[in-house]
Amino acid sequence: MDGRHMQIGEDAERTELSLRTVRHYKETGLVVPSARSRGGFRLCTESDVARLMVVRRMKPLGFTLEEMRDLLDATDRLDAEGLADPAQRQALLERVAEYERAAIRKTEVLRVRLARAEDFAATLRARICDGTSP
């Protein structure tokens, strides 16, 4: 991390999220800004933007805000220095692995839905091209 602080506009631009969405994630505590400007603006660092990216990637898969919070908590605790207890570390790794398995399942559901949508679009395209019924 370079220690540079960013305002919400840059956070939104870097993550391709709307300002409203970034504000919502900050207000719900998913991302807690690292600092405030003299004018009271919330400021974020690279690690805060990385957290927003995790949330952005989880959202289309249908994870809830509570699930996002839980995963971020687990990864924060894994990244924290001083986690010496091997049993705690293993439990956290298992939590993250559960989210990985869920993400794989949810991704497969999306692939099926996408294939159906593409098939539907192809059916319509064929009808337009040759004048047949769907």
Side-chain angles (χ1 to χ4, degrees), residues 7-8 33 35-43:
Q7 290 187 6
I8 192 169
R36 285 204 179 257
S37 70
R38 288 184 185 139
F41 294 104
R42 294 176 256 192
L43 302 173

Side-chain angles (χ1 to χ4, degrees), residues 94-111:
E94 181 53 37
R95 263 173 60 197
V96 173
E98 287 174 20
Y99 282 104
E100 178 197 22
R101 290 188 291 272
I104 290 168
R105 285 190 308 274
K106 290 170 181 267
T107 299
E108 187 54 39
V109 168
L110 286 176
R111 280 193 182 101

Side-chain angles (χ1 to χ4, degrees), residues 43-125:
L43 302 173
C44 289
T45 62
E46 289 296 328
S47 64
D48 299 324
V49 170
R51 288 176 69 85
L52 282 168
M53 292 300 292
V54 169
V55 172
R56 189 187 92 179
R57 291 177 182 121
M58 291 180 81
K59 185 66 176 163
L61 294 175
F63 286 100
T64 66
L65 291 177
E66 192 54 44
E67 289 169 324
M68 293 174 194
R69 189 174 288 109
D70 183 54
L71 176 62
L72 289 168
D73 174 66
T75 57
D76 286 349
R77 291 176 58 197
L78 281 168
D79 292 344
E81 294 182 28
L83 184 62
D85 182 1
Q88 269 188 325
R89 183 169 184 72
Q90 189 56 43
L92 290 169
L93 288 170
E94 181 53 37
R95 263 173 60 197
V96 173
E98 287 174 20
Y99 282 104
E100 178 197 22
R101 290 188 291 272
I104 290 168
R105 285 190 308 274
K106 290 170 181 267
T107 299
E108 187 54 39
V109 168
L110 286 176
R111 280 193 182 101
V112 169
R113 290 178 65 196
L114 178 60
R116 289 177 183 157
E118 288 172 334
D119 183 51
F120 175 65
T123 300
L124 294 175
R125 189 171 31 258

